Amino acid sequence: MPSPPRRGARISHIGIAVRSLDENVSFYSEILGLAQVPLEDADGARIAGFAAGDSLVELLEAESPESPIAKFLDKRGPGIHHICFAVDNLDATLERCRSAGIRLVDETPRIGAEGKRIAFLHPSATKGVLIELTED
Ligand code: CO
């Protein structure tokens, strides 16, 4: 029996904080063989994107010492910064979070990279994992 089409959340991208894009691009492109996807800067970060199936790996380099990525690197060093899930209905998902008492970074969706509506959940509510939600 064919399985029904998959709906619901999927991983849109994984954001990885690095000190230098230049020093890390070749691992993903040349060694792992992921195709590079041009992405615009967002949230104070320069971004190098790579396609991994339907998901992206995004290397995030701080644009300035005040940017959130710089603060993350100071505190925790390079590593996974956030996981972004694409959900069917961002407003409804945020409302479910709110009802469940999950602390939000963004009370209402804002415009993030590539003009998409996004919202971050607070990592204190999600076992230390910074979760971004988007719609596609
Ligand atoms: Co992101």
Side-chain angles (χ1 to χ4, degrees):
M1 198 133 120
S3 49
R6 281 177 55 191
R7 287 185 61 79
R10 62 174 180 81
I11 292 176
S12 162
H13 62 267
I14 297 176
I16 300 174
V18 297
R19 297 200 199 281
S20 159
L21 292 184
D22 288 344
E23 286 173 13
N24 290 282
V25 161
S26 68
F27 171 73
Y28 291 92
S29 61
E30 286 158 38
I31 295 178
L32 293 186
L34 305 184
Q36 205 163 346
V37 177
L39 292 176
E40 284 177 14
D41 302 349
D43 280 337
R46 281 186 285 272
I47 305 175
F50 303 87
D54 290 337
S55 306
L56 292 177
V57 171
E58 295 186 2
L59 301 184
L60 310 169
E61 178 191 75
E63 273 184 329
S64 77
E66 292 77 40
S67 85
I69 294 300
K71 288 177 184 150
F72 179 90
L73 286 168
D74 285 348
K75 234 163 93 179
R76 300 175 63 169
I80 292 180
H81 176 262
H82 68 275
I83 298 177
C84 179
F85 290 100
V87 298
D88 285 341
N89 184 327
L90 179 56
D91 298 290
T93 305
L94 270 187
E95 198 43 55
R96 284 200 298 279
C97 289
R98 217 188 314 274
S99 303
I102 292 171
R103 187 173 163 201
L104 308 175
V105 173
D106 299 301
E107 290 293 331
T108 55
R110 63 186 172 86
I111 302 301
E114 300 168 84
K116 291 177 182 172
R117 295 168 77 233
I118 62 157
F120 280 92
L121 311 183
H122 199 280
S124 67
T126 49
K127 305 295 183 286
V129 179
L130 178 59
I131 291 178
E132 178 184 5
L133 300 174
T134 186
E135 283 173 316
D136 62 3

